[in-house]
Amino acid sequence: MDVDIGNALSSVASPGLSRDALEALDEQVAVAHERIEMGRANDEHGYAALNLPDTTDPEAIRAAVDPVADADTLITIGIGGSALGAATITDALADAGDGTETLYLDNVDPAWVNRQLEDLDLERTAINVVSRSGTTAETLANFLVVRDAFETAGVDWTDRTVVTTGDSGPLSDLATRHDLPAVAVPDGVPGRFSALSAVGMVAAAVCGHDLEALLAGARAEADTLTGSLFSCPAYAYGATTYALDARGVSMNAMMPYAESLETYAEWFAQLWAESLGKDDLGQTPVRALGVTDQHSQLQLYRAGPRNKLVTFVTPRERPNRPIPDTDVETLSYLGDATLGGLLEAEFEATEASLAAAGRPNVRVELERVDAYEIGGLLYGMEAACVLAGELYGVNAFNQPAVEWAKKATRGLLGGGDFEEAEAVADKETLRVER
């Protein structure tokens, strides 16, 4: 990926960064880079994620999914990082796969789950259940529901299931007991940083995507981690977002201009929020989609409070389709245009409109939306996030607030005695009824 931070400079935007500020910031980046490289060299928890391009084994992943490679539909059961990375890859590359439909059960809303499972040909459906611990309540609940649906339909779920989990736990035990194909969640890699491991790539393998290209793109991005924001796109992005946040830009709207990257914006939101939202620090990520949300959100970004960064992600090359001629004179200019040209014009106009209003924005460019570029994008944003964590002085790899809610949920369901569950009963109430 390439990053253009020109529209975040103080000569364009307010708040913005001066050239002198960037030079000073680069000294901090160099120190942070040394810490990151030490973490990678020692395979430390979290930092090990940045080694995945070299440690992930695509052959092992393909071997594990071979028994279900004939599936017409793949149900991936996971939540958060156990689903979003995989969904980002398969959604981005949907047009390049073998036609396998993908379904991600990452919510436990019963009405929604019921709709997802309706009319599926379960004999042609595969299951990938993903949880490092094997104890994630939402994942296990949905897996039990899906397994019951298979049994009710008279389909042997054990012939159609791949397990992605840690070395021990209920899912690991299940795989051993039923001789299910299993792939390991890598040690030292938090879920939201695991897209370039089996966690994110089992689904890609079932769909026939090029795993080697994904890893090669990530590896190329890793090679740019040279210690300066002026030579490393990932560090340029992470450092710029951090510095803008320090100047009051507390929100980051991730806005890809490619429909296939809509799920990527969801993945980014988890990465940014869960990694950096600590100690009263961190930007709030916002999910947007160009051109859809330039018509629904741009008014706020251009004329609302000056606390927002808009991050555009756009491919330089994309498929195209001509717009047919029309005899409506006021629309005749569209007859000489294409949908791709219109989309590009919409992007450039939106970017320019923010700059003209002095609102900071950053452009992230891909050559095209393919496996190589997606691998680079995922890796680049992970590296940017790790760098930002170093600059903030927070641990980008834990999520204590999430763990609190998990304990409260288990306690409410009778899964143990947790003081967090007792707090639910203490809720302050001021009810307004009709």
Side-chain angles (χ1 to χ4, degrees), residues 191-240:
R192 60 189 175 277
F193 288 91
S194 65
L196 294 166
S197 74
V199 174
M201 294 175 68
V202 163
V206 174
C207 293
H209 296 306
D210 189 340
L211 307 189
E212 282 78 9
L214 280 163
L215 295 173
R219 200 172 299 118
E221 207 66 41
D223 289 342
T224 71
L225 303 185
T226 54
S228 171
L229 69 87
F230 296 108
S231 59
C232 173
Y235 285 173
Y237 185 73
T240 298

mmCIF file of all heavy atoms in Angstrom, residues 191-240:
data_model
loop_
_atom_site.group_PDB
_atom_site.id
_atom_site.type_symbol
_atom_site.label_atom_id
_atom_site.label_comp_id
_atom_site.label_asym_id
_atom_site.label_seq_id
_atom_site.Cartn_x
_atom_site.Cartn_y
_atom_site.Cartn_z
ATOM 1 N N GLY A 191 -6.436 -12.207 18.386
ATOM 2 C CA GLY A 191 -7.357 -12.502 17.296
ATOM 3 C C GLY A 191 -7.452 -11.428 16.245
ATOM 4 O O GLY A 191 -7.490 -11.713 15.042
ATOM 5 N N ARG A 192 -7.459 -10.169 16.653
ATOM 6 C CA ARG A 192 -7.633 -9.084 15.680
ATOM 7 C C ARG A 192 -6.398 -8.889 14.813
ATOM 8 O O ARG A 192 -6.445 -8.179 13.808
ATOM 9 C CB ARG A 192 -7.989 -7.783 16.403
ATOM 10 C CG ARG A 192 -6.943 -7.314 17.397
ATOM 11 C CD ARG A 192 -7.473 -6.151 18.230
ATOM 12 N NE ARG A 192 -6.548 -5.744 19.276
ATOM 13 C CZ ARG A 192 -6.442 -6.333 20.470
ATOM 14 N NH1 ARG A 192 -7.193 -7.392 20.754
ATOM 15 N NH2 ARG A 192 -5.596 -5.877 21.374
ATOM 16 N N PHE A 193 -5.270 -9.508 15.187
ATOM 17 C CA PHE A 193 -4.049 -9.457 14.393
ATOM 18 C C PHE A 193 -3.797 -10.763 13.637
ATOM 19 O O PHE A 193 -2.705 -10.968 13.116
ATOM 20 C CB PHE A 193 -2.841 -9.176 15.301
ATOM 21 C CG PHE A 193 -2.768 -7.782 15.836
ATOM 22 C CD1 PHE A 193 -3.353 -7.454 17.051
ATOM 23 C CD2 PHE A 193 -2.118 -6.778 15.125
ATOM 24 C CE1 PHE A 193 -3.280 -6.161 17.563
ATOM 25 C CE2 PHE A 193 -2.045 -5.481 15.622
ATOM 26 C CZ PHE A 193 -2.628 -5.180 16.839
ATOM 27 N N SER A 194 -4.803 -11.633 13.573
ATOM 28 C CA SER A 194 -4.572 -13.001 13.089
ATOM 29 C C SER A 194 -5.067 -13.268 11.677
ATOM 30 O O SER A 194 -5.118 -14.421 11.248
ATOM 31 C CB SER A 194 -5.228 -14.004 14.045
ATOM 32 O OG SER A 194 -6.643 -13.863 14.045
ATOM 33 N N ALA A 195 -5.430 -12.226 10.936
ATOM 34 C CA ALA A 195 -6.003 -12.440 9.598
ATOM 35 C C ALA A 195 -5.057 -13.195 8.679
ATOM 36 O O ALA A 195 -5.500 -13.962 7.812
ATOM 37 C CB ALA A 195 -6.380 -11.106 8.969
ATOM 38 N N LEU A 196 -3.750 -13.005 8.854
ATOM 39 C CA LEU A 196 -2.769 -13.636 7.960
ATOM 40 C C LEU A 196 -2.267 -14.963 8.503
ATOM 41 O O LEU A 196 -1.212 -15.449 8.108
ATOM 42 C CB LEU A 196 -1.611 -12.670 7.716
ATOM 43 C CG LEU A 196 -2.026 -11.417 6.939
ATOM 44 C CD1 LEU A 196 -0.957 -10.337 7.017
ATOM 45 C CD2 LEU A 196 -2.339 -11.759 5.484
ATOM 46 N N SER A 197 -3.057 -15.570 9.376
ATOM 47 C CA SER A 197 -2.794 -16.912 9.887
ATOM 48 C C SER A 197 -3.942 -17.818 9.449
ATOM 49 O O SER A 197 -4.819 -17.406 8.681
ATOM 50 C CB SER A 197 -2.696 -16.886 11.411
ATOM 51 O OG SER A 197 -3.983 -16.724 11.997
ATOM 52 N N ALA A 198 -3.953 -19.033 9.966
ATOM 53 C CA ALA A 198 -5.054 -19.948 9.654
ATOM 54 C C ALA A 198 -6.399 -19.361 10.049
ATOM 55 O O ALA A 198 -7.429 -19.653 9.418
ATOM 56 C CB ALA A 198 -4.838 -21.279 10.381
ATOM 57 N N VAL A 199 -6.426 -18.504 11.069
ATOM 58 C CA VAL A 199 -7.677 -17.898 11.511
ATOM 59 C C VAL A 199 -8.363 -17.170 10.360
ATOM 60 O O VAL A 199 -9.579 -17.268 10.173
ATOM 61 C CB VAL A 199 -7.421 -16.939 12.687
ATOM 62 C CG1 VAL A 199 -8.697 -16.191 13.066
ATOM 63 C CG2 VAL A 199 -6.882 -17.689 13.890
ATOM 64 N N GLY A 200 -7.595 -16.436 9.585
ATOM 65 C CA GLY A 200 -8.172 -15.690 8.477
ATOM 66 C C GLY A 200 -8.112 -16.395 7.145
ATOM 67 O O GLY A 200 -8.831 -16.022 6.209
ATOM 68 N N MET A 201 -7.268 -17.442 7.055
ATOM 69 C CA MET A 201 -6.994 -18.008 5.731
ATOM 70 C C MET A 201 -7.629 -19.360 5.456
ATOM 71 O O MET A 201 -7.598 -19.836 4.322
ATOM 72 C CB MET A 201 -5.478 -18.076 5.537
ATOM 73 C CG MET A 201 -4.852 -16.678 5.486
ATOM 74 S SD MET A 201 -3.057 -16.658 5.414
ATOM 75 C CE MET A 201 -2.760 -17.324 3.785
ATOM 76 N N VAL A 202 -8.243 -19.981 6.468
ATOM 77 C CA VAL A 202 -8.980 -21.220 6.202
ATOM 78 C C VAL A 202 -10.120 -20.941 5.228
ATOM 79 O O VAL A 202 -10.312 -21.666 4.241
ATOM 80 C CB VAL A 202 -9.502 -21.842 7.509
ATOM 81 C CG1 VAL A 202 -10.603 -22.866 7.226
ATOM 82 C CG2 VAL A 202 -8.369 -22.518 8.274
ATOM 83 N N ALA A 203 -10.881 -19.904 5.502
ATOM 84 C CA ALA A 203 -11.987 -19.564 4.594
ATOM 85 C C ALA A 203 -11.467 -19.245 3.202
ATOM 86 O O ALA A 203 -12.066 -19.651 2.191
ATOM 87 C CB ALA A 203 -12.781 -18.388 5.150
ATOM 88 N N ALA A 204 -10.359 -18.516 3.121
ATOM 89 C CA ALA A 204 -9.778 -18.185 1.820
ATOM 90 C C ALA A 204 -9.377 -19.450 1.077
ATOM 91 O O ALA A 204 -9.543 -19.543 -0.149
ATOM 92 C CB ALA A 204 -8.565 -17.278 2.009
ATOM 93 N N ALA A 205 -8.845 -20.435 1.796
ATOM 94 C CA ALA A 205 -8.436 -21.687 1.158
ATOM 95 C C ALA A 205 -9.642 -22.454 0.630
ATOM 96 O O ALA A 205 -9.612 -22.983 -0.493
ATOM 97 C CB ALA A 205 -7.656 -22.543 2.158
ATOM 98 N N VAL A 206 -10.717 -22.516 1.411
ATOM 99 C CA VAL A 206 -11.919 -23.208 0.950
ATOM 100 C C VAL A 206 -12.473 -22.540 -0.299
ATOM 101 O O VAL A 206 -12.984 -23.207 -1.209
ATOM 102 C CB VAL A 206 -12.984 -23.251 2.066
ATOM 103 C CG1 VAL A 206 -14.291 -23.848 1.543
ATOM 104 C CG2 VAL A 206 -12.486 -24.071 3.259
ATOM 105 N N CYS A 207 -12.345 -21.232 -0.371
ATOM 106 C CA CYS A 207 -12.862 -20.469 -1.518
ATOM 107 C C CYS A 207 -11.901 -20.453 -2.704
ATOM 108 O O CYS A 207 -12.199 -19.837 -3.732
ATOM 109 C CB CYS A 207 -13.172 -19.039 -1.097
ATOM 110 S SG CYS A 207 -14.538 -18.896 0.068
ATOM 111 N N GLY A 208 -10.757 -21.108 -2.581
ATOM 112 C CA GLY A 208 -9.826 -21.216 -3.704
ATOM 113 C C GLY A 208 -8.958 -20.006 -3.942
ATOM 114 O O GLY A 208 -8.440 -19.825 -5.052
ATOM 115 N N HIS A 209 -8.752 -19.169 -2.929
ATOM 116 C CA HIS A 209 -7.935 -17.981 -3.114
ATOM 117 C C HIS A 209 -6.448 -18.311 -2.990
ATOM 118 O O HIS A 209 -6.057 -19.346 -2.442
ATOM 119 C CB HIS A 209 -8.340 -16.901 -2.122
ATOM 120 C CG HIS A 209 -9.728 -16.402 -2.318
ATOM 121 N ND1 HIS A 209 -10.185 -15.920 -3.522
ATOM 122 C CD2 HIS A 209 -10.795 -16.332 -1.467
ATOM 123 C CE1 HIS A 209 -11.443 -15.563 -3.419
ATOM 124 N NE2 HIS A 209 -11.838 -15.808 -2.173
ATOM 125 N N ASP A 210 -5.628 -17.407 -3.480
ATOM 126 C CA ASP A 210 -4.181 -17.609 -3.554
ATOM 127 C C ASP A 210 -3.545 -17.219 -2.218
ATOM 128 O O ASP A 210 -3.268 -16.035 -1.968
ATOM 129 C CB ASP A 210 -3.615 -16.761 -4.697
ATOM 130 C CG ASP A 210 -2.157 -17.066 -5.003
ATOM 131 O OD1 ASP A 210 -1.472 -17.631 -4.131
ATOM 132 O OD2 ASP A 210 -1.712 -16.740 -6.119
ATOM 133 N N LEU A 211 -3.301 -18.218 -1.370
ATOM 134 C CA LEU A 211 -2.741 -17.957 -0.045
ATOM 135 C C LEU A 211 -1.320 -17.425 -0.143
ATOM 136 O O LEU A 211 -0.922 -16.541 0.633
ATOM 137 C CB LEU A 211 -2.771 -19.226 0.804
ATOM 138 C CG LEU A 211 -4.117 -19.953 0.938
ATOM 139 C CD1 LEU A 211 -4.011 -21.060 1.987
ATOM 140 C CD2 LEU A 211 -5.238 -18.987 1.293
ATOM 141 N N GLU A 212 -0.554 -17.971 -1.077
ATOM 142 C CA GLU A 212 0.826 -17.503 -1.235
ATOM 143 C C GLU A 212 0.873 -16.032 -1.619
ATOM 144 O O GLU A 212 1.754 -15.282 -1.154
ATOM 145 C CB GLU A 212 1.559 -18.347 -2.278
ATOM 146 C CG GLU A 212 2.038 -19.707 -1.790
ATOM 147 C CD GLU A 212 0.925 -20.748 -1.722
ATOM 148 O OE1 GLU A 212 -0.187 -20.466 -2.211
ATOM 149 O OE2 GLU A 212 1.162 -21.850 -1.192
ATOM 150 N N ALA A 213 -0.058 -15.600 -2.455
ATOM 151 C CA ALA A 213 -0.082 -14.190 -2.849
ATOM 152 C C ALA A 213 -0.438 -13.294 -1.668
ATOM 153 O O ALA A 213 0.130 -12.206 -1.506
ATOM 154 C CB ALA A 213 -1.065 -13.980 -3.995
ATOM 155 N N LEU A 214 -1.375 -13.720 -0.839
ATOM 156 C CA LEU A 214 -1.709 -12.959 0.364
ATOM 157 C C LEU A 214 -0.476 -12.756 1.233
ATOM 158 O O LEU A 214 -0.183 -11.644 1.688
ATOM 159 C CB LEU A 214 -2.784 -13.693 1.167
ATOM 160 C CG LEU A 214 -4.233 -13.558 0.693
ATOM 161 C CD1 LEU A 214 -5.093 -14.662 1.314
ATOM 162 C CD2 LEU A 214 -4.795 -12.187 1.061
ATOM 163 N N LEU A 215 0.263 -13.842 1.461
ATOM 164 C CA LEU A 215 1.445 -13.764 2.319
ATOM 165 C C LEU A 215 2.570 -12.984 1.652
ATOM 166 O O LEU A 215 3.320 -12.262 2.326
ATOM 167 C CB LEU A 215 1.905 -15.170 2.690
ATOM 168 C CG LEU A 215 0.921 -15.970 3.558
ATOM 169 C CD1 LEU A 215 1.393 -17.402 3.729
ATOM 170 C CD2 LEU A 215 0.735 -15.303 4.919
ATOM 171 N N ALA A 216 2.685 -13.101 0.334
ATOM 172 C CA ALA A 216 3.731 -12.352 -0.376
ATOM 173 C C ALA A 216 3.474 -10.853 -0.286
ATOM 174 O O ALA A 216 4.405 -10.055 -0.104
ATOM 175 C CB ALA A 216 3.797 -12.791 -1.835
ATOM 176 N N GLY A 217 2.224 -10.447 -0.419
ATOM 177 C CA GLY A 217 1.893 -9.036 -0.280
ATOM 178 C C GLY A 217 2.197 -8.525 1.112
ATOM 179 O O GLY A 217 2.714 -7.416 1.292
ATOM 180 N N ALA A 218 1.892 -9.341 2.127
ATOM 181 C CA ALA A 218 2.200 -8.967 3.500
ATOM 182 C C ALA A 218 3.705 -8.893 3.714
ATOM 183 O O ALA A 218 4.212 -7.988 4.388
ATOM 184 C CB ALA A 218 1.578 -9.976 4.463
ATOM 185 N N ARG A 219 4.428 -9.833 3.130
ATOM 186 C CA ARG A 219 5.892 -9.859 3.279
ATOM 187 C C ARG A 219 6.520 -8.613 2.654
ATOM 188 O O ARG A 219 7.454 -8.026 3.209
ATOM 189 C CB ARG A 219 6.436 -11.130 2.635
ATOM 190 C CG ARG A 219 7.836 -11.535 3.102
ATOM 191 C CD ARG A 219 8.196 -12.905 2.550
ATOM 192 N NE ARG A 219 7.279 -13.928 3.023
ATOM 193 C CZ ARG A 219 6.484 -14.661 2.237
ATOM 194 N NH1 ARG A 219 6.477 -14.462 0.924
ATOM 195 N NH2 ARG A 219 5.687 -15.567 2.761
ATOM 196 N N ALA A 220 5.987 -8.199 1.515
ATOM 197 C CA ALA A 220 6.503 -6.992 0.876
ATOM 198 C C ALA A 220 6.267 -5.772 1.760
ATOM 199 O O ALA A 220 7.112 -4.871 1.840
ATOM 200 C CB ALA A 220 5.840 -6.801 -0.486
ATOM 201 N N GLU A 221 5.127 -5.740 2.430
ATOM 202 C CA GLU A 221 4.840 -4.619 3.334
ATOM 203 C C GLU A 221 5.771 -4.674 4.543
ATOM 204 O O GLU A 221 6.250 -3.637 5.023
ATOM 205 C CB GLU A 221 3.380 -4.681 3.781
ATOM 206 C CG GLU A 221 2.790 -3.349 4.156
ATOM 207 C CD GLU A 221 2.680 -2.397 2.974
ATOM 208 O OE1 GLU A 221 2.306 -2.843 1.875
ATOM 209 O OE2 GLU A 221 2.982 -1.199 3.163
ATOM 210 N N ALA A 222 6.045 -5.881 5.033
ATOM 211 C CA ALA A 222 6.956 -6.025 6.171
ATOM 212 C C ALA A 222 8.341 -5.485 5.832
ATOM 213 O O ALA A 222 9.034 -4.934 6.698
ATOM 214 C CB ALA A 222 7.038 -7.485 6.594
ATOM 215 N N ASP A 223 8.746 -5.637 4.593
ATOM 216 C CA ASP A 223 10.074 -5.175 4.177
ATOM 217 C C ASP A 223 10.205 -3.659 4.232
ATOM 218 O O ASP A 223 11.315 -3.131 4.157
ATOM 219 C CB ASP A 223 10.392 -5.674 2.766
ATOM 220 C CG ASP A 223 10.643 -7.174 2.716
ATOM 221 O OD1 ASP A 223 10.906 -7.771 3.781
ATOM 222 O OD2 ASP A 223 10.556 -7.744 1.615
ATOM 223 N N THR A 224 9.074 -2.943 4.333
ATOM 224 C CA THR A 224 9.139 -1.479 4.382
ATOM 225 C C THR A 224 9.301 -0.948 5.805
ATOM 226 O O THR A 224 9.429 0.263 5.994
ATOM 227 C CB THR A 224 7.866 -0.840 3.769
ATOM 228 O OG1 THR A 224 6.742 -1.057 4.642
ATOM 229 C CG2 THR A 224 7.575 -1.413 2.391
ATOM 230 N N LEU A 225 9.274 -1.826 6.804
ATOM 231 C CA LEU A 225 9.376 -1.377 8.197
ATOM 232 C C LEU A 225 10.827 -1.028 8.511
ATOM 233 O O LEU A 225 11.550 -1.786 9.149
ATOM 234 C CB LEU A 225 8.865 -2.461 9.154
ATOM 235 C CG LEU A 225 7.429 -2.949 8.938
ATOM 236 C CD1 LEU A 225 7.028 -3.917 10.036
ATOM 237 C CD2 LEU A 225 6.440 -1.789 8.873
ATOM 238 N N THR A 226 11.244 0.151 8.049
ATOM 239 C CA THR A 226 12.651 0.536 8.124
ATOM 240 C C THR A 226 12.937 1.612 9.162
ATOM 241 O O THR A 226 14.050 2.114 9.228
ATOM 242 C CB THR A 226 13.122 1.032 6.749
ATOM 243 O OG1 THR A 226 12.239 2.086 6.309
ATOM 244 C CG2 THR A 226 13.106 -0.088 5.732
ATOM 245 N N GLY A 227 11.954 2.009 9.926
ATOM 246 C CA GLY A 227 12.228 2.903 11.034
ATOM 247 C C GLY A 227 11.969 4.366 10.796
ATOM 248 O O GLY A 227 12.248 5.194 11.675
ATOM 249 N N SER A 228 11.447 4.749 9.635
ATOM 250 C CA SER A 228 11.144 6.152 9.372
ATOM 251 C C SER A 228 9.780 6.260 8.711
ATOM 252 O O SER A 228 9.476 5.515 7.774
ATOM 253 C CB SER A 228 12.204 6.784 8.471
ATOM 254 O OG SER A 228 11.798 8.088 8.061
ATOM 255 N N LEU A 229 9.005 7.213 9.168
ATOM 256 C CA LEU A 229 7.686 7.404 8.556
ATOM 257 C C LEU A 229 7.795 7.918 7.132
ATOM 258 O O LEU A 229 6.842 7.817 6.350
ATOM 259 C CB LEU A 229 6.832 8.337 9.414
ATOM 260 C CG LEU A 229 7.195 9.814 9.532
ATOM 261 C CD1 LEU A 229 6.583 10.642 8.406
ATOM 262 C CD2 LEU A 229 6.764 10.375 10.879
ATOM 263 N N PHE A 230 8.963 8.462 6.757
ATOM 264 C CA PHE A 230 9.138 8.991 5.413
ATOM 265 C C PHE A 230 9.470 7.907 4.390
ATOM 266 O O PHE A 230 9.504 8.179 3.187
ATOM 267 C CB PHE A 230 10.218 10.076 5.404
ATOM 268 C CG PHE A 230 9.863 11.278 6.218
ATOM 269 C CD1 PHE A 230 10.504 11.528 7.426
ATOM 270 C CD2 PHE A 230 8.868 12.148 5.812
ATOM 271 C CE1 PHE A 230 10.175 12.643 8.189
ATOM 272 C CE2 PHE A 230 8.535 13.262 6.569
ATOM 273 C CZ PHE A 230 9.181 13.511 7.764
ATOM 274 N N SER A 231 9.752 6.697 4.858
ATOM 275 C CA SER A 231 10.057 5.596 3.932
ATOM 276 C C SER A 231 9.180 4.374 4.163
ATOM 277 O O SER A 231 9.340 3.369 3.475
ATOM 278 C CB SER A 231 11.532 5.195 4.057
ATOM 279 O OG SER A 231 11.834 4.786 5.377
ATOM 280 N N CYS A 232 8.245 4.456 5.091
ATOM 281 C CA CYS A 232 7.402 3.310 5.447
ATOM 282 C C CYS A 232 5.940 3.742 5.469
ATOM 283 O O CYS A 232 5.522 4.491 6.364
ATOM 284 C CB CYS A 232 7.817 2.763 6.819
ATOM 285 S SG CYS A 232 6.715 1.476 7.449
ATOM 286 N N PRO A 233 5.139 3.301 4.513
ATOM 287 C CA PRO A 233 3.729 3.714 4.488
ATOM 288 C C PRO A 233 2.981 3.388 5.775
ATOM 289 O O PRO A 233 2.177 4.201 6.254
ATOM 290 C CB PRO A 233 3.171 2.935 3.289
ATOM 291 C CG PRO A 233 4.355 2.703 2.399
ATOM 292 C CD PRO A 233 5.507 2.491 3.327
ATOM 293 N N ALA A 234 3.217 2.198 6.340
ATOM 294 C CA ALA A 234 2.498 1.818 7.559
ATOM 295 C C ALA A 234 2.829 2.762 8.702
ATOM 296 O O ALA A 234 1.943 3.213 9.444
ATOM 297 C CB ALA A 234 2.847 0.375 7.940
ATOM 298 N N TYR A 235 4.105 3.074 8.863
ATOM 299 C CA TYR A 235 4.502 3.977 9.931
ATOM 300 C C TYR A 235 4.013 5.394 9.664
ATOM 301 O O TYR A 235 3.666 6.135 10.597
ATOM 302 C CB TYR A 235 6.018 3.967 10.090
ATOM 303 C CG TYR A 235 6.576 2.729 10.758
ATOM 304 C CD1 TYR A 235 7.946 2.514 10.834
ATOM 305 C CD2 TYR A 235 5.734 1.763 11.329
ATOM 306 C CE1 TYR A 235 8.477 1.388 11.455
ATOM 307 C CE2 TYR A 235 6.247 0.628 11.940
ATOM 308 C CZ TYR A 235 7.622 0.447 12.005
ATOM 309 O OH TYR A 235 8.133 -0.667 12.621
ATOM 310 N N ALA A 236 3.985 5.809 8.403
ATOM 311 C CA ALA A 236 3.454 7.132 8.074
ATOM 312 C C ALA A 236 2.005 7.239 8.526
ATOM 313 O O ALA A 236 1.582 8.258 9.106
ATOM 314 C CB ALA A 236 3.571 7.396 6.571
ATOM 315 N N TYR A 237 1.239 6.185 8.283
ATOM 316 C CA TYR A 237 -0.169 6.216 8.666
ATOM 317 C C TYR A 237 -0.337 6.185 10.181
ATOM 318 O O TYR A 237 -1.065 7.006 10.760
ATOM 319 C CB TYR A 237 -0.935 5.054 8.036
ATOM 320 C CG TYR A 237 -2.413 5.139 8.315
ATOM 321 C CD1 TYR A 237 -3.192 6.088 7.661
ATOM 322 C CD2 TYR A 237 -3.020 4.322 9.257
ATOM 323 C CE1 TYR A 237 -4.545 6.212 7.941
ATOM 324 C CE2 TYR A 237 -4.367 4.435 9.546
ATOM 325 C CZ TYR A 237 -5.131 5.376 8.882
ATOM 326 O OH TYR A 237 -6.464 5.512 9.179
ATOM 327 N N GLY A 238 0.344 5.244 10.842
ATOM 328 C CA GLY A 238 0.200 5.138 12.288
ATOM 329 C C GLY A 238 0.656 6.388 13.013
ATOM 330 O O GLY A 238 -0.004 6.851 13.957
ATOM 331 N N ALA A 239 1.776 6.969 12.589
ATOM 332 C CA ALA A 239 2.301 8.168 13.245
ATOM 333 C C ALA A 239 1.394 9.363 13.003
ATOM 334 O O ALA A 239 1.163 10.178 13.905
ATOM 335 C CB ALA A 239 3.711 8.454 12.743
ATOM 336 N N THR A 240 0.875 9.491 11.780
ATOM 337 C CA THR A 240 0.004 10.624 11.463
ATOM 338 C C THR A 240 -1.284 10.579 12.266
ATOM 339 O O THR A 240 -1.733 11.601 12.801
ATOM 340 C CB THR A 240 -0.308 10.644 9.950
ATOM 341 O OG1 THR A 240 0.914 10.817 9.218
ATOM 342 C CG2 THR A 240 -1.266 11.763 9.600
#
